Each structure stands twice: as C-alpha cells, then as structure tokens.
C-alpha cells in the first residue's frame, strides 16, 4: 500500500494494480487542484482488509475493474455497511453497455473508461466531485425518508394507542371551496349564516381518513368501517353540526379550535363532548390532514349538574335559614331592647331605692344629731348643773351623778358616730376628697392600719350627690372589708379624676383570698360586701375588677364614667 498526499478535503481510496495509472491519477488531481488525500492499494484484498479494519474513513472509492483475482464490482459487493458504504467510481480499460448496467445495479456512482490517450484523467475532478455529491444527496434523501417513516410510525403508534378518541379528517375540498369564496370577496362568516345548506354539503364532503381504537370505543363501534358508514349521524342536532364552527375557524386560518357539542354513540346514547380540531403541521394551506379530538365530558356534566342542583338547594336552604335568622334576629333585637329597658328600669328603680335609702339614712342621721344627741347633751348639762347646785349632796350621790354623766357622754359619742355612719355631714360640707381623707384618718385611729391616700381632681368635678355618696360608700365598704377580713398592715387608696372616668384603686397587703370561693361563700352565708360593691358600681354604670390570691393581698379597681358621659 502506497500513499500520495496533498492538502486534502476528500479521503480517496484508489485500488489500482498499475503503478503508472496510480501515478497518473495522483498527478491529474494535483494538477487540477482537486483537494484530496489519496490512499492507494494494489489489490482488492488489501483494500477490503483496510476498509474492514475501520482504521481510516474514506469519502470515495476509485477501483479498477480489471484487478487481478477479483474485479472491482466483486470487491464492491463484498464491502460491509450497505447504504453506509462510501461511493464507488469504477475505472475500466474496456467499457461496455453490460458493464454500465451491472455497475448501476450494484450501486456504483459512475465509471470511467481508461482510454489509451489518458484523456479520462481530465474528467476525474468533475466525475469524482459529482459522484460524491450524488452519493451525499442520495444518503440525505434516504435519511429523510427514514426519518419521515419513523415519524409516521411514531405518529401512527401515538394516534392508535392514545386513550383519547381521535379522528383524522381531510377538509381539502372544503378548503378549496372556502378559498374561492374568499377570493371573490365573500365574507365567510356571513356566508355560513346565510347558506347553511352549502356549508352542510361541504362538511358532508369531508373524508374521515382514520379513527383510533379509543374513537371506536367512544362511539361503540366494532370497526372503522361500521363507524364510517355515516359518521355525520353521530352529531345529535344535525349531521356534522358540531363541526360547523370548526370549519369556519379553520377556513379563516385558525390552526386550532375548540367547542362543546352533543354526540351520540351507535346505540343512541347521548354524550357531552369537547371537540378540538388541530391542523397538522404543513397542512395549513390545504387542510388535507386535520386531527379531531373527542373528549367525553358526560360524567363531568352530570357532576356539574348535580353540583348545580346541590348549590341551588343549598342556596334555597340558606335563603330560608337566612329568613329564619332574620326573624330570630328581629325577635332577639326586640328582646334585647326590652331587656335593656328592663335593665334600665331595674337600674332606675335601684337608684331610686338607693336614693330613698340614703335619704332615709340622712333623715335618721339628722334626727339622731339634732334631736337625740341634743337631748342627751341637755340632760348631761342638767346633771352637771344639778350636781354643782347641790354642794351638800352626799358623796355617794356625787359619785352616782358623775357615773351618769360619763354614761351620757358615751351615749352622745355613740349617737354622733351612728349619725356619721348613716350620713357623713362633711361629705356635703367639705366635699368628697375631704370626707374620704377624714374617714381614712378615723379608720387608722380605730384599726391601726396605715392608709396611703392620694386624692386628685375629684373635688373639681361637678359630681351629683348620688355619685358622691356612692363613691364614698364604695371606699367605706372596701375599708370595712379590710378591717373585718384582711388583717392588713397597710392600705393604698387612690381616688383620681381621669377624664372621662373617675378611678378608684384600693389595695391591701393582707391575707387575700380565692375570689371564686369567696363569692360562693358570700352567697351561701348571705354576706354582701363584695357583691354590694359590684351592684353599686353597676348602678354607676362603671366597671369593677377584683384581683386577689391567698397571702398576696387584694386589689380592687373601679372605673366610673363622669357625669355627662353616656351611661
């Protein structure tokens, strides 16, 4: 094997036993500036071995027909690879029609006759280039045909095995008709409306090319022939009624369209169908291949109808229930108004009762102070005067008179205290702040419990007498509870005017208690301390908060709206 090289675009394998012809072949291509690399073999067996080893790739084989031991055509027939074999050009010293036919039948691209004057050498560049081009074109065409066939096979497999019902139809005749109308300036949409019979004829002319298995199952057909006998009858309203809008959409150039229609299977059972038409790629101008998809939505429609009925039923029940609730709300509103009126009446009567109670306490207090206390004071003065006017009185009588005087002093003090408890006179004379301050001093004197008192702003308020006495009674009741139950050493009392409220804060460091247990015990034992405070705060339309824990003391917070605020 010998090799002669130049700047190469083509790899050529030359099989030639004549050395002069090999050299002439290389010189001719070099002279014509034909870009190639030439690998030369003298015998066919050597070339077959080289090609079988796949150590080199060749774009073109040039083989002498008259090789010793094996002709060029015989060698070509033994080449592996079939269509993948490189193109072959046969060189022969004696051309004949028979050889030409056999060469073409074997798949040889071309052959040259080696004339004695070697004129064939000038034809080599053209023949070799054309051979490579024809071979490449043929291989590209075969590859395209294979790809097209594979694509068609895949399409057919997908089409046939698809779980969705598919039809393949041909609308080319209708497309031609619609295009002619468009060329005449006719509006297709108006034409469809005014000439339904022509549109029906166009649709009847369509050809159903294929139907997949799912399409047969959907319509209950055993075979395509059974279904294709009269496919238009599958549309319930009229033949092909479901495809009219699709035909118009496709005629106007839309590549796909979807609508809902009603079809029936061969047994006459109706089905709600979503109909989709899609023009196959490359068929937009002819509509020769249009894919029609049938999607059965009958169960979905039944479910939607059931859902709609359930929704309507639910809406009716909601309307009824709403009406009942509105009636109940009106009744409840009336009841609330009546209850508020009743509560207001109770509150008004309670305030009247409390007012009457306080008025009665005031009257008793005044009577005790003005009558009984004054009478007792007069009696004491009389006893003192009588004792002074009787200087010769026996000593025993003087002692008895002194004892009576002391008893009268105690009685006068008790009557004055009782009158004060019934109605503190300084509340009306000095104001709420001074009355509370004096009461706290008296509380400390009587119990030894220190009271940290702060009063701010309340004397500047225009409080009515009822609010004054009620606030005072709250403080009085709170301190009374401390005296009776708390065993406290210190009390913090704050009475503050903070618009729009009066705030009362009472806190002690006493024993404390469980609020729930104390309230239950108070009800069982008919003790009204805390409960009376709550009721009094309620009459003032205020709020009270009581916080207490055993051994942690007690906190009472009262907030009462100022006079003039809504109550």
């Amino acid at each position: 094997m010998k090799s002669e090289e130049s700047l190469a675009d083509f790899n050529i394998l030359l099989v030639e036993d004549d050395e002069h012809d090999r050299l002439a072949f290389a010189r001719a291509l070099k002279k014509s500036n034909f870009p190639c690399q030439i690998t030369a073999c003298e015998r066919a067996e050597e070339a077959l071995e080289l090609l079988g080893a796949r150590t080199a790739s060749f774009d073109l084989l040039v083989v002498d027909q008259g090789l010793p031991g094996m002709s060029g055509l015989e060698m070509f027939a033994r080449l592996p690879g079939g269509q993948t074999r490189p193109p072959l050009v046969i060189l022969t010293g004696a051309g004949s029609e028979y050889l030409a036919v056999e060469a073409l039948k074997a798949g040889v691209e071309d052959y040259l006759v080696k004339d004695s004057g070697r004129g064939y050498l000038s034809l080599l560049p053209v023949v070799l280039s054309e051979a490579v081009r024809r071979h490449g074109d043929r291989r590209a065409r075969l590859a395209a045909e294979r790809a097209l066939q594979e694509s068609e096979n895949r399409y057919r497999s997908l089409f046939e095995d698809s779980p969705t019902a598919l039809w393949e139809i041909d609308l080319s005749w209708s497309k031609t008709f619609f295009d002619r109308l468009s060329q005449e300036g006719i509006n297709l949409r108006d034409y469809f409306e005014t000439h339904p019979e022509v549109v029906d004829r166009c649709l009847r002319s369509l050809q159903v090319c294929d139907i997949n298995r799912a399409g047969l199952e959907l319509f209950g057909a055993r075979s395509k022939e059974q279904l294709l006998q009269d496919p238009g009858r599958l549309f319930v309203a009229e033949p092909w009624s479901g495809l009219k809008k699709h035909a118009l959409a496709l005629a106007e150039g839309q590549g796909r369209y979807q609508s809902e229609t009603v079809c029936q299977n061969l047994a006459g059972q109706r089905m709600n169908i979503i109909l989709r038409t899609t023009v196959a790629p490359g068929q937009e101008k002819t509509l020769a291949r249009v894919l029609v998809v049938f999607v059965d939505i009958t169960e979905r429609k039944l479910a939607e109808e059931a859902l709609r009925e359930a929704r309507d039923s639910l809406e009716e029940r909601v309307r009824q229930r709403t009406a009942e609730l509105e009636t109940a709300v009106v009744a409840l509103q009336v009841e609330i108004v009546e209850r508020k009126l009743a509560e207001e009446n109770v509150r008004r009567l309670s305030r009247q009762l409390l007012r009457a109670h306080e008025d009665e306490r005031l009257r008793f207090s005044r009577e005790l102070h003005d009558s009984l206390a004054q009478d007792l004071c007069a009696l004491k003065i009389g006893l003192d005067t009588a004792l002074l006017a009787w200087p010769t009185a026996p000593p025993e009588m003087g002692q008895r008179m002194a004892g009576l005087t002391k008893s009268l002093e105690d009685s006068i003090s008790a009557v004055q205290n009782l009158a004060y408890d019934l109605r503190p006179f300084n509340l009306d004379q000095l104001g709420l702040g001074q009355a509370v301050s004096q009461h706290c001093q008296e509380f400390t004197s009587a119990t030894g419990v220190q009271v940290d008192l702060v009063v701010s702003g309340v004397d500047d308020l225009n409080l009515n007498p009822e609010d004054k006495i009620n606030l005072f009674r709250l403080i009085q009741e709170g301190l009374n509870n401390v005296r009776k139950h708390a065993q406290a050493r210190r009390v913090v009392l704050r009475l503050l005017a903070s618009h729009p409220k009066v705030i009362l804060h009472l806190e002690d460091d006493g024993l404390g208690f469980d609020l729930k247990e104390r309230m239950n015990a108070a009800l069982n034992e008919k003790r009204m301390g805390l409960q009376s405070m709550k009721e009094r705060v309620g009459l003032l339309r205020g709020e009270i908060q009581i916080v207490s824990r055993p051994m942690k003391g007690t906190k009472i917070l009262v907030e009462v709206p100022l006079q003039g605020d809504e109550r």
Side-chain angles (χ1 to χ4, degrees):
M1 180 176 67
K2 300 177 181 179
S3 175
E4 297 190 18
E5 297 183 359
S6 67
L7 293 176
D9 283 341
F10 291 99
N11 289 327
I12 300 176
L13 177 61
L14 174 63
V15 187
E16 173 63 70
D17 61 330
D18 189 314
E19 183 176 0
H20 295 289
D21 287 343
R22 290 199 304 272
L23 294 174
F25 183 90
R27 283 196 296 269
L29 292 182
K30 185 175 182 180
K31 183 179 180 181
S32 65
N33 295 321
F34 188 79
C36 64
Q37 176 177 329
I38 302 172
T39 301
C41 295
E42 296 180 8
R43 299 177 58 79
E45 293 81 1
E46 183 182 1
L48 289 175
E49 182 179 353
L50 178 63
L51 291 170
R54 299 182 182 273
T55 56
S57 176
F58 297 100
D59 301 307
L60 180 65
L61 302 181
V62 180
V63 182
D64 182 17
Q65 172 65 11
L67 294 173
M70 184 184 304
S71 69
L73 289 179
E74 290 175 341
M75 171 193 159
F76 187 66
R78 295 188 183 185
L79 287 177
Q83 298 293 343
T84 62
R85 293 178 299 188
L88 172 67
V89 174
I90 291 291
L91 299 177
T92 177
S96 67
E97 184 177 344
Y98 173 77
L99 177 62
V101 171
E102 290 298 317
L104 292 176
K105 286 170 61 177
V108 173
E109 292 296 334
D110 208 342
Y111 74 95
L112 281 174
V113 178
K114 295 190 291 184
D115 56 308
S116 58
R118 295 192 173 182
Y120 77 96
L121 293 175
S122 62
L123 299 176
L124 278 177
V126 176
V127 172
L128 297 184
S129 297
E130 187 63 19
V132 171
R133 186 193 65 77
R134 285 199 307 269
H135 183 74
D137 290 347
R138 183 168 64 252
R139 289 186 63 179
R141 185 179 67 254
L142 291 175
E145 290 175 355
R146 284 197 302 272
L148 181 63
Q149 185 61 43
E150 290 174 358
S151 176
E152 181 68 19
N153 292 339
R154 285 196 301 271
Y155 169 79
R156 283 296 157 196
S157 176
L158 292 173
F159 178 87
E160 194 64 31
D161 297 336
S162 172
T164 304
L166 303 175
W167 288 20
E168 188 180 304
I169 62 174
D170 182 355
L171 284 171
S172 56
W173 189 89
S174 300
K175 175 63 173 174
T176 302
F177 177 71
F178 296 148
D179 287 346
R180 187 167 68 250
L181 293 177
S182 297
Q183 291 170 1
E184 295 174 2
I186 297 175
N187 184 281
L188 293 179
R189 193 169 293 276
D190 294 340
Y191 190 85
F192 269 58
E193 294 293 333
T194 57
H195 297 80
E197 71 286 351
V198 178
V199 177
D200 288 342
R201 268 201 316 273
C202 290
L203 291 174
R204 292 175 191 276
S205 69
L206 67 80
Q207 296 180 1
V208 180
C209 304
D210 201 359
I211 303 173
N212 70 348
R213 284 192 294 268
L216 297 178
E217 294 174 0
L218 178 64
F219 292 101
R222 294 185 300 274
S223 64
K224 298 176 183 178
E225 292 74 19
Q226 181 186 13
L227 195 60
L228 293 178
Q229 288 177 1
D230 185 11
R233 73 185 188 277
L234 302 175
F235 295 88
V236 170
E238 54 184 292
W240 300 111
S241 58
L243 279 176
K244 286 185 178 180
K245 293 181 179 179
H246 291 254
L248 174 61
L250 298 180
E252 291 178 337
Q254 298 185 39
R256 59 183 61 192
Y257 191 77
Q258 175 176 308
S259 67
E260 288 190 19
T261 187
V262 179
C263 296
Q264 63 183 3
N265 58 21
L266 296 182
Q269 295 175 334
R270 294 195 173 198
M271 300 177 292
N272 295 96
I273 296 294
I274 289 180
L275 200 63
R276 298 192 188 103
T277 50
T278 304
V279 180
Q283 304 296 324
E284 292 82 4
K285 294 184 178 180
T286 64
L287 301 185
R289 194 174 190 180
V290 178
L291 190 65
V292 184
V293 181
F294 295 80
V295 180
D296 186 1
I297 59 170
T298 305
E299 292 185 0
R300 193 186 81 185
K301 284 289 186 181
L302 292 175
E304 289 176 353
E305 183 62 26
L307 183 61
R308 189 179 303 109
E309 292 177 356
R311 185 180 65 248
D312 294 342
S313 175
L314 180 59
E315 289 178 353
E316 180 61 28
R317 290 171 60 188
V318 168
R319 283 194 294 270
Q320 294 177 358
R321 185 58 179 160
T322 301
E324 294 174 359
L325 289 175
E326 288 176 352
T327 303
V329 167
V330 171
L332 183 60
Q333 290 174 342
V334 172
E335 182 180 349
I336 290 173
V337 171
E338 292 176 350
R339 180 170 295 181
K340 285 184 176 180
L341 290 175
E343 290 176 353
E344 184 61 31
N345 288 333
V346 170
R347 187 179 293 108
R348 179 174 53 81
L349 292 174
S350 298
R351 290 178 68 89
Q352 291 177 355
L353 180 61
L354 189 60
R355 187 183 305 115
H357 181 65
E358 290 295 338
D359 291 344
E360 190 67 16
R361 290 169 68 109
L362 178 59
R363 186 176 65 83
F364 285 158
S365 176
R366 285 176 177 174
E367 288 183 358
L368 287 173
H369 184 272
D370 296 341
S371 297
L372 182 57
Q374 295 298 327
D375 290 343
L376 290 174
C377 287
L379 180 58
K380 177 181 178 297
I381 292 172
L383 285 175
D384 290 339
T385 303
L387 185 61
L388 292 174
W390 192 10
T392 59
E396 295 85 358
M397 182 61 68
Q399 292 178 357
R400 290 182 64 186
M401 293 290 285
L404 290 174
T405 300
K406 181 65 172 66
S407 297
L408 284 174
E409 288 179 354
D410 293 341
S411 296
I412 291 170
S413 179
V415 169
Q416 288 176 343
N417 289 337
L418 180 58
Y420 180 82
D421 289 339
L422 288 173
R423 178 75 176 199
F425 299 106
N426 55 4
L427 180 63
D428 299 321
Q429 298 170 358
L430 303 178
L432 180 59
Q434 289 294 329
V436 170
S437 178
Q438 183 175 342
H439 184 71
C440 290
Q441 292 174 6
E442 293 173 354
F443 175 81
T444 299
S445 299
T447 62
V449 178
Q450 296 298 318
V451 178
D452 179 5
L453 173 66
V454 175
V455 179
S456 176
V458 293
D459 289 331
D460 298 331
L461 300 176
N462 187 21
L463 295 175
N464 59 52
E466 293 180 24
D467 290 344
K468 285 184 181 180
I469 190 62
N470 282 322
L471 288 169
F472 183 82
R473 295 297 186 202
L474 286 171
I475 295 171
Q476 193 177 43
E477 185 64 35
L479 292 176
N480 191 40
N481 288 334
V482 172
R483 179 181 60 81
K484 289 182 179 180
H485 310 292
Q487 300 181 21
R489 292 174 296 180
R490 184 171 179 271
V491 174
V492 175
L493 178 59
R494 301 288 185 265
L495 181 60
L496 310 173
S498 177
H499 188 79
K501 298 176 181 179
V502 175
I503 298 175
L504 170 61
H505 177 79
L506 181 64
E507 180 178 351
D508 66 66
D509 60 356
L511 298 178
F513 54 87
D514 183 277
L515 182 60
K516 185 175 181 181
E517 291 180 359
R518 174 59 61 86
M519 296 302 294
N520 291 335
L523 291 175
N524 295 332
E525 299 171 11
K526 299 182 180 180
R527 291 184 297 176
M528 302 301 292
L530 293 177
Q531 186 62 33
S532 66
M533 293 182 70
K534 287 187 174 182
E535 293 177 358
R536 195 177 291 271
V537 171
L539 292 175
L540 294 172
R541 296 192 177 181
E543 297 178 355
I544 183 171
Q545 182 179 3
I546 302 174
V547 178
S548 183
R549 286 190 298 170
M551 307 310 296
K552 297 295 183 179
T554 302
K555 296 178 183 179
I556 298 176
L557 178 64
V558 175
E559 294 182 355
V560 176
L562 290 172
Q563 184 180 15
D565 291 301
E566 183 182 355
R567 297 194 177 179

